[in-house]
């Protein structure tokens, strides 16, 4: 598997490390949208009005932290170009074939 | 037909023309009391224990390919119960005890070999952790021995003891651990289940889960037609998320690829299972002589049943660091299997929010050793609706309750477990 980094060009897999599902793991990144993951869940919890009970908040947080779509097919994951430009990349890939459809900067994809 | 020395001798005299197929390759009926999805070790063991322990024989095992063609045929055949945490110890020890009686129970040679499992340590801190785990095991009635570096050196003199960075300081051994023949486990359970009336249906892929108007499970849609059943047990680790999605469920699981390797056959060298403590690498020698070894998962979501070269290199580096002689043998084959990586590294054996739908999933890369206990506990859950005490911690809602069983302490990072 080779990943086409927007800065460095096509690079070998061993230069990258994988964090996880872009939806679940992306919340900690700057610019991640609301509802994108655990960090966002915490923000939503802090902003929740008096109508939302602690249980509902805990449930939403547990879902955001632990549950995954885990698709067989198109999947968007976060990769870190550790041995290169150190960018966080959102890579859209077919989990059945490892074919890569798109690579973008995670920050741009989150907007 | 019962296998025995007598039946072997009788068939030898008749030119081995009298052997019957070990199990019945059934066509699916329109309805069963219970259906088990997945004809791997766990699914077949579940069906067997449903019939044997709970008198529930109107059961079908549905397998999309041929039995044992998934992870049951893609593991490194290691059995052990050297776990630290409550919730794990009792379960894996139940499995170990079932392994010890398995061949007599099934009347099938599963080549269970209690050759021992040795976890090496390389620093004072790792020794402390090994002592703690060994003590925890002994408190649970599981055997564990701490070996000094000299004792390890006497047993396995060819290991790399004096490595400058990771010298071997000793090891924690479980003598009752070892290996079993994976294909024989699958066939042994299939034969024993089939003899008790279970239908084993191959080339039958589940494509949907039927629900009644109240929302409860009513059966499954398959590539060989509709099969009705009031209870459906899913044991398809690797693909659990996909089958659960048919019932509208999202699981705390990611699918990842794990590679394993076998070398060309050599004369007897390694009489136990050894794990490297300074990297993820483990090795044993099969009865055919091949060195069977593996390491980390590749670390990214995959359903491809094949991995990439960086992981191959990483595993081989671990092997060379532990056992330099390994560099003189050639790798014969490598393969990949799809692991249900759960978010705490521990499995799930539980009912689901859908009445009548039961889930056996999340085995990460430790499913093979669990095969007997997994089937035993899942069968009890399906038959009675209540969990086996040894598996009572493996609940689906433990993530919501904060009751995760995180043996490696890595948190919700599927690719680190």
């Amino acid at each position: 598997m080779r990943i086409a980094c927007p800065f460095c060009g096509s690079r070998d897999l061993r230069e990258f490390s994988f964090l996880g599902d872009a939806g679940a793991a992306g919340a900690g990144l700057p610019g991640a949208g609301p509802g994108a993951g655990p960090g966002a869940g915490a923000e939503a919890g802090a902003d929740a009005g008096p109508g939302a009970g602690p249980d509902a908040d805990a449930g939403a947080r547990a879902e955001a932290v632990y549950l995954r779509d885990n698709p067989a097919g198109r999947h968007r994951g976060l990769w870190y170009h550790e041995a290169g430009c150190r960018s966080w990349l959102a890579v859209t890939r077919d989990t059945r074939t490892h074919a890569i459809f798109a690579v973008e900067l995670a920050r741009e994809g989150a907007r | 037909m019962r296998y025995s020395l007598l039946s072997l001798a009788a068939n030898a005299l008749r030119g081995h023309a009298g052997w019957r197929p070990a199990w019945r390759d059934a066509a699916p009926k329109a309805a069963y009391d219970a259906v088990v999805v997945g004809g791997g070790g766990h699914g077949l063991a579940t069906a067997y224990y449903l019939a044997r322990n709970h008198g529930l024989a109107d059961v079908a095992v549905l397998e999309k390919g041929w039995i044992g063609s998934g992870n049951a045929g893609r593991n490194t055949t290691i059995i052990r119960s050297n776990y630290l945490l409550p919730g794990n110890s009792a379960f894996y020890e139940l499995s170990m005890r079932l392994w010890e009686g398995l061949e007599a129970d099934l009347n099938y040679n599963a080549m269970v070999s209690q050759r021992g499992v040795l976890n090496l340590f390389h620093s004072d801190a790792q020794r402390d952790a090994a002592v703690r785990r060994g003590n925890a095991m002994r408190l649970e009635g599981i055997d564990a021995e701490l070996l000094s570096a000299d004792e390890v050196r006497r047993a396995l003199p060819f290991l790399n003891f004096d490595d400058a960075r990771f010298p071997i300081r000793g090891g924690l051994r479980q003598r009752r651990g070892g290996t079993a023949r994976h294909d024989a486990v699958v066939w042994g359970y299939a034969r024993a289940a089939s003899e008790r009336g279970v239908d084993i249906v191959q080339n039958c892929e589940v494509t949907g889960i039927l629900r009644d108007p109240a929302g409860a499970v009513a059966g499954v849609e398959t590539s060989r037609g509709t099969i009705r059943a009031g209870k459906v047990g899913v044991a398809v680790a690797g693909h659990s998320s996909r089958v659960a999605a048919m019932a509208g469920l999202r699981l705390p699981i990611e699918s990842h690829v794990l590679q394993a390797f076998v070398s060309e056959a050599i004369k007897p060298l390694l009489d136990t299972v050894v794990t490297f403590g300074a990297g993820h690498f483990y090795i044993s020698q099969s009865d055919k002589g091949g060195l069977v070894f593996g390491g980390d998962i590749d670390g990214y979501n995959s359903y491809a049943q094949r991995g990439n070269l960086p992981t191959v290199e990483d595993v081989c580096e671990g092997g060379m660091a532990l056992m330099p002689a390994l560099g003189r043998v050639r790798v014969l084959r490598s393969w990949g299997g799809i692991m249900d990586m759960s978010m705490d590294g521990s499995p799930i054996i539980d009912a689901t929010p859908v009445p009548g739908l039961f889930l056996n999933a999340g085995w990460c890369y430790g499913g093979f050793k669990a095969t007997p206990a997994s089937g035993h506990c899942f069968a009890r859950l399906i038959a009675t609706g209540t969990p086996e005490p040894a598996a009572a911690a493996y609940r689906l809602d433990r993530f919501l309750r904060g009751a995760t069983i995180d043996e490696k302490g890595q948190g919700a990072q599927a690719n680190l477990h």
Side-chain angles (χ1 to χ4, degrees), chain A residues 1 12-14 18-19 21 58-59 62 65-72 75 79 93 95-98, chain B residues 241-242 250-255 299-304 306 308 310 313 343 399-400 404 412-413 415:
Chain A
M1 220 161 95
D12 191 85
L13 178 66
R14 77 192 65 213
F18 181 73
L19 179 65
D21 192 282
V65 172
Y66 293 115
L67 300 193
R68 300 287 188 273
D69 289 334
N70 196 20
H75 173 262
W79 294 78
R93 191 173 50 95
T95 57
R96 292 166 304 186
T97 62
H98 298 166
Chain B
S241 298
R242 299 179 65 195
R250 283 176 87 215
L251 299 181
I253 286 173
E254 285 180 7
S255 295
Y300 45 82
N301 291 53
S302 174
Y303 283 91
R306 66 173 186 278
N308 273 288
E313 188 177 31
M343 291 297 144
F399 301 93
L400 173 62
T404 53
Q413 279 295 107
N415 56 343

Side-chain angles (χ1 to χ4, degrees), chain B residues 35-374:
Chain B
V35 160
V36 177
V37 184
H42 291 230
L44 291 163
T46 302
Y48 169 67
Y49 291 115
L50 276 171
R52 176 185 179 272
N53 295 353
H54 304 282
L56 202 63
D58 187 28
V59 172
V61 177
L62 309 181
E63 167 54 46
K64 75 174 174 183
W66 61 92
I67 61 166
S69 60
N71 293 332
R74 293 167 182 272
N75 54 75
T76 44
T77 77
I78 295 165
I79 60 175
R80 58 184 175 87
S81 58
N82 52 0
Y83 282 74
L84 171 72
L85 296 182
N88 275 339
S89 327
F91 174 81
Y92 286 103
E93 180 57 12
L94 170 66
S95 208
M96 199 68 234
R97 288 180 199 279
L98 289 168
W99 281 118
E100 287 172 331
L102 188 74
E103 292 160 313
D105 188 25
L106 299 182
N107 178 231
Y108 202 89
N109 180 9
M111 294 167 67
V112 174
S113 165
Q114 293 182 289
R115 58 184 69 183
V117 172
L118 176 63
N119 302 141
L120 298 174
F121 49 78
H122 308 267
S123 66
D124 290 349
Q126 284 193 327
R127 183 180 186 278
D128 289 347
V131 169
R132 180 181 176 224
R133 184 149 55 91
N135 284 337
M137 288 163 63
R138 292 172 74 131
L139 285 170
E140 291 282 341
I142 305 165
D143 68 305
E145 297 166 58
L146 196 74
L147 302 190
S148 68
D150 283 344
E151 286 171 300
V152 176
R153 196 189 288 264
R154 274 197 294 278
L156 304 167
F158 46 81
L159 297 183
N160 188 10
F161 284 86
D162 303 315
D163 183 88
R165 179 66 183 89
F166 300 115
I168 294 170
R169 301 286 196 208
L172 184 70
R173 174 160 68 183
Q174 185 185 20
R175 280 183 190 268
R176 288 163 63 241
T179 59
R181 175 74 202 171
H182 54 292
D183 295 328
V185 173
V186 169
W187 273 52
Y189 273 120
R191 172 171 170 270
S194 183
E195 266 178 7
R196 287 172 186 266
V198 169
D199 276 1
I200 295 167
V201 186
Q202 299 189 111
N203 301 309
C204 180
E205 182 172 0
V206 168
T207 55
I209 291 175
L210 296 173
R211 313 275 287 269
D212 68 15
V217 158
V220 289
E221 293 285 359
T222 78
S223 55
R224 295 178 72 174
T226 301
I227 301 172
R228 306 198 77 82
K231 291 177 173 180
V232 173
V234 177
V236 297
H239 294 262
S240 299
S241 298
R242 299 179 65 195
V243 176
M246 294 173 192
L249 300 174
R250 283 176 87 215
L251 299 181
I253 286 173
E254 285 180 7
S255 295
H256 285 253
V257 60
L258 174 67
Q259 303 187 69
F261 309 83
V262 64
S263 78
E264 59 190 328
I266 57 173
K267 287 181 178 176
L269 171 72
L270 189 59
D271 62 356
T272 185
V273 180
V274 184
T275 74
F276 187 32
H280 197 161
F281 178 82
Y282 52 92
I283 186 164
S284 64
Q285 187 169 19
S286 80
D287 292 352
K288 281 193 290 189
L291 295 168
V292 183
F293 56 95
D296 271 325
I297 54 175
D298 272 39
Y300 45 82
N301 291 53
S302 174
Y303 283 91
Q305 288 190 329
R306 66 173 186 278
N308 273 288
L309 289 172
T311 305
V312 177
E313 188 177 31
D314 182 65
V315 170
C316 292
E317 282 171 355
M320 287 300 291
L322 172 69
M323 192 172 149
L326 201 59
R328 302 299 299 274
V329 299
R330 284 166 290 194
V331 172
L332 186 67
R333 288 182 290 125
S334 73
W335 60 93
I338 304 307
M339 310 292 109
D340 261 16
M341 298 305 295
S342 69
M343 291 297 144
D344 61 355
S346 296
I348 296 157
I349 303 177
D350 202 1
T352 69
V354 178
L357 182 67
F358 300 88
L359 181 68
N360 178 323
W363 291 100
C364 296
Y365 40 77
F368 178 72
K369 74 176 96 67
T371 303
S374 168

